């Protein structure tokens, strides 16, 4: 039984029998805009730049929730001690 090949080292040297690679056909590649970068790469870059902002926003929401929980616990403790 022969072992399956990898993309770098195909099991066969016949191009028609090789496993297709991850590169898309030429017709599926995104068109280039005047900036020289494909739109998908521009979108990915924009998303990557927004990640710290989204993380900070999520962190603030968690902090607010933790602060509210802390106040509720203090109130509950205060009412338990006072009664």
């Amino acid at each position: 039984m022969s072992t399956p090949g990898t993309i770098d080292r195909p099991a066969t040297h016949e191009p028609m029998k090789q496993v297709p690679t991850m590169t898309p056909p030429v017709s599926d590649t995104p068109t280039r805009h005047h900036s020289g970068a494909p739109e998908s790469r521009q979108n990915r870059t924009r998303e990557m730049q927004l990640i710290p902002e989204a993380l900070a926003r999520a962190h603030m929401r968690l902090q607010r929730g933790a602060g509210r929980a802390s106040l509720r616990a203090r109130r509950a403790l205060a009412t338990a001690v006072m009664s």
Side-chain angles (χ1 to χ4, degrees), residues 14-75:
E14 295 179 47
M16 296 306 289
K17 292 183 179 179
Q18 290 181 2
V19 176
T21 60
M22 297 300 287
T23 56
V26 175
S27 61
D28 290 348
T29 55
T31 57
R32 294 191 176 265
H33 297 284
H34 64 280
S35 65
E39 185 178 345
S40 62
R41 190 168 39 169
Q42 287 177 345
N43 287 340
R44 193 176 330 129
T45 302
R46 194 172 304 124
E47 288 172 11
M48 293 292 283
Q49 288 173 347
L50 294 177
I51 285 175
E53 192 174 315
L55 283 173
R57 206 175 302 122
H59 189 260
M60 286 300 296
R61 288 176 60 188
L62 288 173
Q63 272 188 329
R64 276 190 227 128
R68 286 188 198 123
S70 174
L71 283 176
R72 269 186 264 131
R74 280 190 202 161
R75 285 189 196 125

Side-chain angles (χ1 to χ4, degrees), residues 2-14 17-19:
S2 65
T3 59
T6 63
I7 291 175
D8 294 333
R9 296 174 187 239
T12 178
H13 293 290
E14 295 179 47
K17 292 183 179 179
Q18 290 181 2
V19 176

